[in-house]
Amino acid sequence: MALQPWRKGIVTRIENETINTKRFWIQVPELSTFDFQPGQFVTLDLPIHEKPNKRWRSYSIASWPDGTNVFELLIVLLEGGAGTHYLFHEVHEGSELTLRGPQGIFVLPEVIEQDIYMICTGTGIAPFRSMIHDLKNHNTPHRDIYLVFGTRTQQDLLYLEEMRRMEQEVAHFNYIPTLSREKWEGSCGYVHAIYENLVEEKKNGSPDLPPALFYLCGWKEMIDEAKERLLKIGYDRKAIHQELYG
């Protein structure tokens, strides 16, 4: 895949999603359409350091291809993070950003022949939101899809009502938000127990593993543990795809 050139982006809209997470809509004026595959990311070149590689910050695209030149990013404010501090406190509607993309191979197969497990924490939900909407818009045939989204408390839930609506609108799509620090009517604990139990239910007493692909997006600790658990269950490394944050 050829590396995309740096382009100018204009922030057209900013909304708070939670107390520490914002949604940024960015328009690329020189393009009539910003084409990308759901799951890909863009890199921003932020004026926060003299060295280029210390200015670059990459974020998964949270929106889906819609024929326009606007896309959405979902960004959490990181304590001590120079990039997110700049985006949260210096950028406003009308601000210009330098960006490059789309990039990345964290995408679904063209033909989906296995169950899909989308396992994420925090803003790692962004690429999966893009994928689910795109599947719906193209009426793409697929098997069971499980979005297991882990976060701490209800106030940290991202796109909650939207994902619940998508669960009703997209066949075989199962949305499982899971809280690790708060009791509520939904799932509690950590994401690992959720997908392990789902796989066990799918086996239904059979010794054979159900065919599946696992997409992991979030912090390194979650991804490392998920890979270790999935390999221990017996899944091949080729069935595990990851997009690492931080």
Side-chain angles (χ1 to χ4, degrees):
M1 181 184 297
L3 192 62
Q4 296 290 322
W6 291 102
R7 304 182 191 274
K8 179 177 76 173
I10 298 176
V11 178
T12 59
R13 183 176 161 198
I14 302 174
E15 285 188 7
N16 293 322
E17 177 67 10
T18 68
I19 58 172
N20 66 343
T21 307
K22 290 181 182 288
R23 301 165 65 180
F24 294 80
W25 282 263
I26 301 172
Q27 182 182 43
V28 186
E30 68 185 82
L31 300 177
S32 57
T33 61
F34 184 78
D35 297 320
F36 61 95
Q37 291 180 269
Q40 291 190 302
F41 64 90
V42 296
T43 298
L44 305 182
D45 186 354
L46 304 175
I48 56 175
H49 201 278
E50 293 180 358
K51 295 182 178 179
N53 64 344
K54 292 186 179 295
R55 298 197 305 260
W56 296 347
R57 298 292 187 275
S58 296
Y59 300 100
S60 293
I61 301 171
S63 53
W64 49 94
D66 61 0
T68 74
N69 61 353
V70 177
F71 63 90
E72 178 186 337
L73 299 180
L74 177 71
I75 300 175
V76 63
L77 180 63
L78 300 178
E79 184 176 351
T84 58
H85 184 275
Y86 177 82
L87 289 166
F88 271 62
H89 301 296
E90 303 295 334
V91 170
H92 51 80
E93 293 181 2
S95 292
E96 292 186 4
L97 295 172
T98 301
L99 62 92
R100 182 166 66 190
Q103 299 168 262
I105 57 173
F106 188 71
V107 298
L108 294 175
E110 290 186 12
V111 179
I112 302 175
E113 299 178 327
Q114 305 105 319
D115 293 337
I116 302 287
Y117 291 82
M118 301 173 172
I119 304 163
C120 58
T121 49
T123 53
I125 194 174
F128 300 138
R129 178 187 186 233
S130 178
M131 292 174 183
I132 294 300
H133 276 274
D134 195 65
L135 289 175
K136 176 192 172 187
N137 292 342
H138 290 90
N139 198 26
T140 304
H142 59 82
R143 298 174 65 90
D144 288 338
I145 296 178
Y146 301 93
L147 173 55
V148 185
F149 170 49
T151 193
R152 293 181 176 182
T153 67
Q154 291 184 69
Q155 71 174 7
D156 301 314
L157 289 167
L158 304 168
Y159 303 121
L160 175 63
E161 295 307 319
E162 177 183 315
M163 288 297 104
R164 283 177 168 169
R165 186 177 70 251
M166 295 299 286
E167 191 175 27
Q168 302 302 314
E169 296 176 356
V170 179
H172 308 294
F173 171 54
N174 305 274
Y175 169 58
I176 310 172
T178 305
L179 304 184
S180 62
R181 303 285 179 87
E182 182 181 347
K183 298 294 184 182
W184 71 317
E185 71 275 9
S187 296
C188 296
Y190 294 96
V191 295
H192 308 293
I194 303 298
Y195 62 76
E196 286 179 333
N197 289 338
L198 289 169
V199 168
E200 195 61 35
E201 290 174 8
K202 281 278 185 174
K203 287 174 66 175
N204 196 27
S206 169
D208 298 324
L209 286 173
L213 294 176
F214 296 86
Y215 285 77
L216 315 174
C217 189
W219 296 107
K220 183 178 187 300
E221 291 78 8
M222 184 278 287
I223 288 180
D224 287 348
E225 182 171 351
K227 287 194 297 185
E228 182 180 341
R229 286 174 178 248
L230 291 169
L231 292 172
K232 187 175 180 180
I233 290 172
Y235 281 102
D236 190 275
R237 291 183 183 273
K238 294 179 181 179
I240 304 171
H241 308 267
Q242 69 181 56
E243 192 74 283
L244 184 66
Y245 280 19

